[in-house]
Amino acid sequence: MGKRSRQRQKNQTPGRDDRDNDWGTGYADIVKENKLFEHYYTELGLVPGGEFEQFMDAMREPLPATIRITGYKRYPDEQAWHTNMSRKIIRKSPLLEKFHQFLVSETESGNISRQEAVSMIPPLLLKIESHHKILDMCAAPGSKTAQLIEMLHSDMDVPFPEGFVIANDVDNKRCYLLVHQAKRLNSPCIMVVNHDATCIPTLQIESGGKKGSLFYDRILCDVPCSGDGTMRKNIDGGCVCAFVTTQEFMQLLQLRIAVRGVEQLAVGGRMVYSTCSLNPIEDEAVIAALLEKSEGALELVDCSADLPGLKWMPGVSSWKLMTKEGHWFADWSEVPSHRRTQIRPTMFPPTEPEKLADMHLERCMRILPHHQNTGGFFVAVLVKKAPMPWNRRYPKVPHHKRSPAASTPADAPRLTESAPVEEEEREGGGPEGDVEEEAPNGASSAQESAAKQDGVCGPPASKKMKLFGYKEDPFVFLTEEDPVFITIQSFYNLAPNFPKLNVLTRTHDGKKRNLYMVSKELRNVLLNNSERMKVINTGVKVWSRNSDGEEFGCPFRLAQEGIYTLQPYIRSRIIRVSVEDIKVLLTQENPYLSKLEDNAHAQAKKLVMGSIVLKYIPNPDNTEDPQCPIQLCGWRGKTSIRAFVPRNERFHYLRLLGVEVFREKQGVGKEGEKEGKEEPGKVAGEEEAAAAAAAVEKEAELDLENGDENASSEPKK
């Protein structure tokens, strides 16, 4: 293999070598052209007259990089930023190395998200409030999910919002990517689950002593699609198979997901349907079929005034279907019989003019790449005005006609799933707008059969829930009398209103290694649905077991991930620190107590050894200092003190304090010469910068040892 690679390098043309060594070029030798794609969209007329060449020129250019600042953290109002450079240029350019390090570090610490501009639109149109129950049906990789969490935590002073986000994805491996995205934000109100979105289970919650079905206030239905609007970042996005061959399969899948979404939406709730495709068969056709099935239960919302700076094209009410051979069909009646298993009636516009006009498909929004230098995108907003007709029309099945399965108690565990029964649905779905009584198990099959005999519409047949992927550890909630709270309560002087019932661990047996917290509402969901859903991850870590902590009064130390959730309930072990104190703590590995300023030093001397909170409160009269509160987990040793903060979070706080943390890429020079020498890239004369980089490098190893599971009382040197 090595010889072949070297021989191949010798045979490469000089132009190829020049291209590889030039960071500013990418796929210059790839011809970005697809005649069938151009013919298809020219014929559909989606692009305004005279703009098609601009449209295609934009599709051939690389997509510019965009970032979003985490919304609920107290930063400037301009929370999304747009560059004129592609991600490849930012990653490869030596001139932008410092900027690239900043982006990577701040993304990992959860302070920014690198997200495509058009991808930010669907969460904005959901109009989320802190009490909303939200379902993200196809959530991975998670940039929109992170946006939903940010909106839920719009008030940072409220550690437990009443609402929550349930983020689902069908791909078990992509669920872990979703977990990584969500955990950056350290929210106790997010749950990641792994289900097929077309048959995602109807969850149960308890309200007022009775169990009922959970109906969501907001649903994000960002469905899988052919992705022809992503040509700028995905060179295969505009190939023939992407928008012709797959459109037939995709449309059926998209419609099934959307139907399941509106079934789980509360009356008065809002669902956003979106794709990164420009194809009307995946866009307006799905919306039209959904509106037709709803028989007036759904309404397409006019969102033209919601995003005043956005340029978009209204939805279309007529379109045609083209096969990969180039044959066109304008109506279902034109489709030959041998093609009718792949091409379905829902792929065409409604034929009745009045019905088509009542749908108001012009309220859909299509974003074209050349209008604002973005990717292609489609979005539509639906509001549920009444129960879906197949739920509303279920006839009551007499008891003697029910199947044996129908007599199973409603709260018994089950592994089959059917559409929620809304036969007696009230306006808003119950006292809180999200709880309804559900029919007993098995009743849906009997009702479906009766519905077919009476000629009324019904939901799809029940589909057995299948669980794939790794078997997750259990989620075990602690009781208020659990022995772990005895030492925790006294050591940290927890407030009387601390929600002990919201604390969970991931093991039934043995010592509890980590303790997590979830909101009260998510606890309700977890306790009532252990047999209905596969939970991948939930909760934010607040305490970790310390192997030597028992001798200092408490075996659990505070975790930085959950400090903003937990700190409002902690009434002791708190040290007020200044800006200079934070610089010392973040740039020195294990400073002596005497390195702190007098005020913090005096506070630290009064505390016994163990875990502490280092709290900075901004002074509004001193605008040169950071004006956002900072809370760090730390450890008070015998003669020293240190901060337990992950590396990228250290970088973030040091940047806030004006300390340079840029480090040039390593790899030049001999390995033996690296150790013990000053790192290149430091600002001359800045001792803090050099100390910060050295401390962070050592902290990376210490975090692996102390920051996740077990921590010793004194850091190893």
Side-chain angles (χ1 to χ4, degrees):
M1 291 296 291
K3 289 184 179 180
R4 288 186 61 191
S5 298
R6 287 194 292 272
Q7 186 65 34
R8 188 177 298 135
Q9 290 175 5
K10 291 179 182 179
N11 295 335
Q12 282 182 347
T13 62
R16 178 85 179 180
D17 290 335
D18 293 342
R19 192 201 73 173
D20 289 341
N21 293 327
D22 186 0
W23 58 264
T25 58
Y27 297 98
D29 57 342
I30 296 178
V31 179
K32 298 182 179 180
E33 184 176 356
N34 190 313
K35 294 297 183 183
L36 197 57
F37 177 91
E38 296 179 29
H39 173 60
Y40 182 73
Y41 281 107
T42 302
E43 187 72 18
L44 288 181
L46 299 179
V47 181
E51 297 183 15
F52 195 80
E53 284 303 317
Q54 301 175 39
F55 167 76
M56 289 306 303
D57 289 343
M59 293 290 267
R60 295 185 183 102
E61 291 295 319
L63 188 68
T66 51
I67 62 173
R68 192 189 74 255
I69 298 173
T70 300
Y72 67 89
K73 299 190 177 182
R74 291 166 179 163
Y75 296 124
D77 292 334
E78 292 82 11
Q79 292 175 353
W81 294 78
H82 180 224
T83 73
N84 289 322
M85 300 171 291
S86 69
R87 296 183 66 173
K88 182 180 178 67
I89 290 178
I90 293 175
R91 186 173 65 252
K92 297 289 186 180
S93 169
L95 299 176
L96 298 173
E97 182 181 350
K98 185 175 180 179
F99 180 52
H100 181 246
Q101 281 191 20
F102 163 79
L103 292 179
V104 172
S105 175
E106 294 296 327
T107 299
E108 286 299 312
S109 60
N111 295 300
I112 67 171
S113 294
R114 288 183 283 177
Q115 180 180 1
E116 190 179 345
V118 291
S119 177
M120 305 177 193
I121 295 173
L124 294 174
L125 294 178
L126 278 172
K127 296 185 176 180
I128 290 171
E129 299 177 14
S130 61
H131 63 276
H132 283 157
K133 281 74 174 174
I134 307 163
L135 172 64
D136 190 350
M137 301 189 73
C138 310
S143 58
K144 298 183 187 70
T145 305
Q147 203 173 348
L148 299 175
I149 298 171
E150 294 169 23
M151 293 175 173
L152 203 63
H153 287 271
S154 56
D155 187 352
M156 196 175 177
D157 294 327
V158 179
F160 292 103
E162 294 182 13
F164 56 77
V165 177
I166 294 180
N168 174 71
D169 202 85
V170 66
D171 190 318
N172 183 259
K173 292 181 180 179
R174 282 168 62 89
C175 281
Y176 294 96
L177 178 61
L178 181 57
V179 169
H180 175 74
Q181 281 274 25
K183 287 180 78 69
R184 298 181 306 121
L185 301 177
N186 300 324
S187 170
C189 304
I190 171 69
M191 178 190 295
V192 177
V193 299
N194 179 204
H195 289 282
D196 181 352
T198 63
C199 54
I200 188 169
T202 301
L203 303 183
Q204 297 283 300
I205 57 173
E206 187 173 327
S207 179
K210 295 196 303 181
K211 284 188 178 181
S213 299
L214 169 63
F215 287 83
Y216 300 93
D217 303 298
R218 298 290 186 268
I219 292 180
L220 176 56
C221 188
D222 186 55
V223 295
C225 63
S226 62
D228 60 11
T230 66
M231 276 182 64
R232 301 185 67 177
K233 65 177 181 180
N234 177 15
I235 195 65
D236 295 327
C239 66
V240 176
C241 64
F243 77 96
V244 175
T245 308
T246 61
Q247 66 183 0
E248 300 161 357
F249 165 76
M250 281 295 178
Q251 206 256 9
L252 299 176
L253 175 64
Q254 291 157 348
L255 183 56
R256 289 178 62 198
I257 294 174
V259 167
R260 189 62 182 142
V262 295
E263 284 177 344
Q264 301 222 13
L265 187 65
V267 173
R270 173 179 288 226
M271 186 178 88
V272 169
Y273 174 89
S274 61
T275 74
C276 50
S277 170
L278 302 175
N279 195 335
I281 296 172
E282 301 179 59
D283 299 338
E284 285 92 344
V286 175
I287 297 298
L290 196 59
L291 291 171
E292 189 169 11
K293 287 176 180 290
S294 76
E295 299 181 5
L298 299 174
E299 180 183 0
L300 196 56
V301 179
D302 183 2
C303 297
S304 56
D306 291 346
L307 299 173
L310 180 67
K311 294 181 180 178
W312 53 277
M313 297 298 297
V316 296
S317 56
S318 63
W319 59 88
K320 297 184 292 184
L321 185 147
M322 184 181 75
T323 65
K324 62 181 179 180
E325 296 83 13
H327 300 150
W328 290 90
F329 301 113
D331 187 78
W332 165 251
S333 61
E334 300 177 4
V335 180
S337 58
H338 70 278
R339 299 297 301 268
R340 292 194 172 190
T341 55
Q342 294 86 26
I343 302 176
R344 305 300 301 156
T346 56
M347 298 178 182
F348 297 93
T351 55
E352 301 176 27
E354 292 184 2
K355 181 182 292 186
L356 185 61
D358 291 340
M359 290 181 178
H360 296 289
L361 293 179
E362 70 279 359
R363 295 177 179 174
C364 300
M365 307 169 75
R366 178 174 281 103
I367 292 91
L368 300 180
H370 66 291
H371 282 167
Q372 289 181 303
N373 196 15
T374 65
F377 207 73
F378 174 88
V379 63
V381 182
L382 297 159
V383 168
K384 188 173 181 180
K385 300 168 61 180
M388 300 307 290
W390 52 86
N391 299 135
R392 193 169 60 231
R393 291 179 180 175
Y394 275 157
K396 291 185 178 180
V397 181
H399 184 75
H400 65 279
K401 290 186 179 181
R402 292 185 180 177
S403 63
S407 60
T408 306
D411 57 351
R414 59 174 178 170
L415 292 178
T416 57
E417 177 53 36
S418 60
V421 178
E422 297 172 288
E423 179 185 81
E424 300 176 359
E425 185 170 7
R426 298 176 294 277
E427 184 69 24
E432 294 184 2
D434 58 358
V435 181
E436 296 179 7
E437 293 298 320
E438 187 176 34
N441 287 352
S444 59
S445 59
Q447 290 171 336
E448 181 185 347
S449 176
K452 289 180 179 178
Q453 292 175 4
D454 295 342
V456 299
C457 62
S462 300
K463 191 171 181 180
K464 186 174 182 180
M465 185 178 74
K466 295 181 180 179
L467 301 180
F468 301 97
Y470 305 103
K471 183 178 181 181
E472 296 295 326
D473 292 330
F475 295 86
V476 183
F477 282 96
L478 306 186
T479 63
E480 291 184 326
E481 295 77 24
D482 195 289
V484 302
F485 287 126
I486 298 175
T487 55
I488 289 177
Q489 177 77 49
S490 59
F491 191 74
Y492 296 103
N493 191 18
L494 297 180
N497 63 337
F498 175 72
K500 294 180 181 179
L501 293 178
N502 294 4
V503 179
L504 62 86
T505 186
R506 299 297 302 271
T507 179
H508 283 291
D509 305 315
K511 285 188 175 182
K512 302 171 179 65
R513 301 176 66 186
N514 293 306
L515 301 181
Y516 305 84
M517 287 192 73
V518 297
S519 65
K520 180 180 67 175
E521 289 73 17
L522 270 188
R523 179 181 184 272
N524 190 346
V525 173
L526 274 168
L527 288 177
N528 290 287
N529 299 278
S530 60
E531 299 294 331
R532 292 173 181 265
M533 61 181 181
K534 181 179 180 182
V535 180
I536 300 297
N537 193 274
T538 190
V540 58
K541 184 165 68 174
V542 290
W543 280 294
S544 291
R545 180 174 288 277
N546 186 333
S547 57
D548 298 328
E550 293 185 13
E551 61 183 280
F552 304 119
C554 183
F556 288 92
R557 69 169 180 84
L558 299 167
Q560 181 66 26
E561 298 97 306
I563 189 61
Y564 286 97
T565 299
L566 191 60
Q567 196 278 326
Y569 302 101
I570 296 176
R571 299 187 296 181
S572 67
R573 311 291 303 172
I574 300 173
I575 298 177
R576 286 279 300 273
V577 293
S578 66
V579 169
E580 294 305 317
D581 291 329
I582 295 178
K583 289 181 181 179
V584 169
L585 290 163
L586 296 182
T587 58
Q588 298 185 29
E589 180 187 349
N590 202 28
Y592 288 107
L593 294 174
S594 58
K595 292 290 186 74
L596 300 177
E597 293 189 342
D598 293 342
N599 186 19
H601 186 198
Q603 297 175 64
K605 288 176 66 176
K606 295 178 182 178
L607 299 178
V608 298
M609 295 172 61
S611 188
I612 55 174
V613 179
L614 302 161
K615 188 173 184 178
Y616 164 76
I617 298 178
N619 181 3
D621 297 329
N622 188 357
T623 56
E624 294 183 359
D625 290 341
Q627 292 300 300
C628 56
I630 298 175
Q631 299 180 41
L632 309 175
C633 289
W635 186 270
R636 198 277 201 208
K638 186 175 181 180
T639 60
S640 62
I641 191 170
R642 67 164 299 183
F644 278 106
V645 182
R647 180 177 62 175
N648 288 312
E649 202 162 341
R650 282 180 177 249
F651 284 152
H652 168 70
Y653 289 125
L654 287 171
R655 289 190 187 99
L656 283 181
L657 303 177
V659 178
E660 176 63 62
V661 294
F662 169 62
R663 297 170 299 133
E664 286 186 357
K665 292 181 179 178
Q666 299 297 305
V668 179
K670 298 179 181 178
E671 287 292 328
E673 295 176 353
K674 292 180 184 177
E675 205 162 328
K677 289 192 175 183
E678 183 180 351
E679 240 181 309
K682 303 293 180 299
V683 177
E686 281 200 24
E687 297 180 1
E688 293 169 342
V696 166
E697 287 300 322
K698 293 180 180 179
E699 185 67 26
E701 299 178 3
L702 289 168
D703 281 342
L704 293 176
E705 179 186 349
N706 297 323
D708 187 27
E709 297 295 347
N710 300 318
S712 60
S713 59
E714 288 284 355
K716 294 182 180 179
K717 296 183 180 180

